[in-house]
């Protein structure tokens, strides 16, 4: 008799609030359906003020339990009237044509703040979500703080899920940029997860804003499950989106998914729970 399947599929996807750089929406629900993972960590999810978050809408449509944590507040603009076929205007990540303005933790520049696009954009919150179709045993948030140049207060959303009779920890995060001093936060992250992950299968997933080799050096004891270029989605040259594993978990399949509308590509891994 063949041994029972003891796999769990985990994915990570930075969704850029479900829009491109001009503010045009893309099919987030369809993308998550195609991911077809047991647990998915989403970064840059959006909660419009007074309305249901996009992660909750996706979870309700596809049968996932949703855990969420905001990292900043700001505004999301409507589609730009002069949008081109490009994903965004070149070098306009925080300019007057871009669609996301995060200003709760640090003020944005005066030109963007004075623009009609900013004035008419919808208000809301931006952050992390974990979607699980496995039973969630417990969950919590670990705060990592905010670096002086960052517009976001960073955190880790941690969920313990039940898979094949085992308690598997899944930690989702979105780290700051290296140029802002993110190694300090990586050290905090590693220390914060050392106790909760001791002796148990664990996954750390998210947009690390850092390449694989230096991220591995900053996270001793964790091992990369996926290798492949993820950013920018239309012509990727770097991997900044990662799945790390620890404990009795063995990666048996790994994918970088196609360009589905965000500026990042999703990563997905099939992990087998090793028998002890």
């Amino acid at each position: 008799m063949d041994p029972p399947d003891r796999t769990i599929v985990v994915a990570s996807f930075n969704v850029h609030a479900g829009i491109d750089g001009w503010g045009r929406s893309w099919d987030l629900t369809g993308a998550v359906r195609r991911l077809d993972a047991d647990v998915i960590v989403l970064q840059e999810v959006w909660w419009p003020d007074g309305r249901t978050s996009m992660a909750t809408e996706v979870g309700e449509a596809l049968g996932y339990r949703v855990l969420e944590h905001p990292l900043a507040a700001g505004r999301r603009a409507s589609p730009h009237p002069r949008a081109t076929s490009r994903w965004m205007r070149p070098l306009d990540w925080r300019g007057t044509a871009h669609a996301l303005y995060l200003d709760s933790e640090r003020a944005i520049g005066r030109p963007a703040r004075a623009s009609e696009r900013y004035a008419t954009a919808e208000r809301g919150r931006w952050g992390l979500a974990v979607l699980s179709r496995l039973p969630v045993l417990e969950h919590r948030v670990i705060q990592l703080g905010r670096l002086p140049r960052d517009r976001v207060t960073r955190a880790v959303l941690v969920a313990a899920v039940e898979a094949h009779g085992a308690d598997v920890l899944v930690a989702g995060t979105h780290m700051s940029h290296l140029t802002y001093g993110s190694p300090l936060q990586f050290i905090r992250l590693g220390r914060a997860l050392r106790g909760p992950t001791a002796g148990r299968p664990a996954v750390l997933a998210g947009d690390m804003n850092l390449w694989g080799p230096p991220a591995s050096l900053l996270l001793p004891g964790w091992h990369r499950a996926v290798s492949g270029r993820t950013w920018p989605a239309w012509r990727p040259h770097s991997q900044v989106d990662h799945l790390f594993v620890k404990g009795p978990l063995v990666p048996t399949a790994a994918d970088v998914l196609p360009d589905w509308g965000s500026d990042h590509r999703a990563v997905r891994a099939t992990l087998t729970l090793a028998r002890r």
Side-chain angles (χ1 to χ4, degrees):
M1 180 181 294
D2 292 334
D5 179 39
R6 289 173 55 81
T7 62
I8 174 176
V9 180
V10 182
S12 177
F13 192 15
N14 181 324
V15 301
H16 195 263
I19 56 176
D20 70 3
W22 297 99
R24 297 172 294 199
S25 62
W26 49 274
D27 184 10
L28 175 58
T29 300
V32 172
R33 181 183 288 110
R34 290 192 293 274
L35 272 176
D36 192 25
D38 299 308
V39 184
I40 303 172
V41 176
L42 299 179
Q43 305 91 50
E44 299 197 19
V45 295
W46 183 253
W47 293 260
D49 285 354
R51 291 166 46 202
T52 303
S53 75
M54 61 170 46
T56 296
E57 290 179 350
V58 170
E60 290 176 348
L62 301 180
Y64 285 90
R65 178 173 175 183
V66 179
L67 310 172
E68 299 174 297
H69 180 70
L71 302 175
R75 305 186 186 202
R76 186 178 74 161
S78 57
H80 198 287
R82 293 188 298 277
T84 69
S85 60
R86 300 176 64 105
W87 190 87
M88 64 174 288
R89 180 180 293 172
L91 304 177
D92 195 50
W93 292 103
R94 293 188 179 93
T96 57
H98 193 46
L100 284 175
Y101 307 94
L102 302 179
D103 57 3
S104 64
E105 314 302 299
R106 182 169 174 244
I108 63 171
R110 184 177 298 176
R113 194 168 63 248
S115 68
E116 181 181 358
R117 188 160 172 75
Y118 173 82
T120 58
E122 71 173 1
R123 297 176 183 268
R125 294 177 293 166
W126 176 101
L128 296 168
V130 173
L131 280 59
S132 178
R133 58 190 182 195
L134 299 174
V136 177
L137 304 174
E138 60 177 318
H139 61 91
R140 65 189 178 109
V141 174
I142 299 173
Q143 296 291 344
L144 298 177
R146 185 180 74 85
L147 298 171
R149 293 183 58 205
D150 204 348
R151 299 185 183 279
V152 178
T153 297
R154 305 290 171 172
V156 192
L157 182 52
V158 182
V161 301
E162 183 180 357
H164 311 292
D167 175 355
V168 179
L169 185 142
V170 179
T173 192
H174 185 185
M175 301 297 283
S176 184
H177 288 265
L178 180 64
T179 56
Y180 296 170
S182 64
L184 176 62
Q185 288 181 331
F186 274 94
I187 293 170
R188 292 175 187 164
L189 173 65
R191 288 173 177 170
L193 293 179
R194 191 174 300 154
T197 60
R200 73 197 294 188
V203 182
L204 173 60
D207 175 0
M208 303 298 177
N209 272 311
L210 191 61
W211 310 282
S216 296
L217 288 175
L218 291 166
L219 294 168
W222 293 89
H223 307 284
R224 294 168 65 194
V226 181
S227 180
R229 300 171 182 177
T230 64
W231 188 89
W234 51 91
R235 190 178 294 173
H237 54 66
S238 301
Q239 181 175 7
V240 297
D241 304 273
H242 299 284
L243 294 173
F244 287 91
V245 297
K246 189 177 184 183
L249 277 177
V250 180
T252 52
D255 302 286
V256 174
L257 284 304
D259 178 359
W260 285 335
S262 177
D263 56 333
H264 290 248
R265 297 192 179 199
V267 291
R268 178 180 62 194
T270 301
L271 310 171
T272 299
L273 284 156
R275 297 184 183 275
R276 299 191 177 187

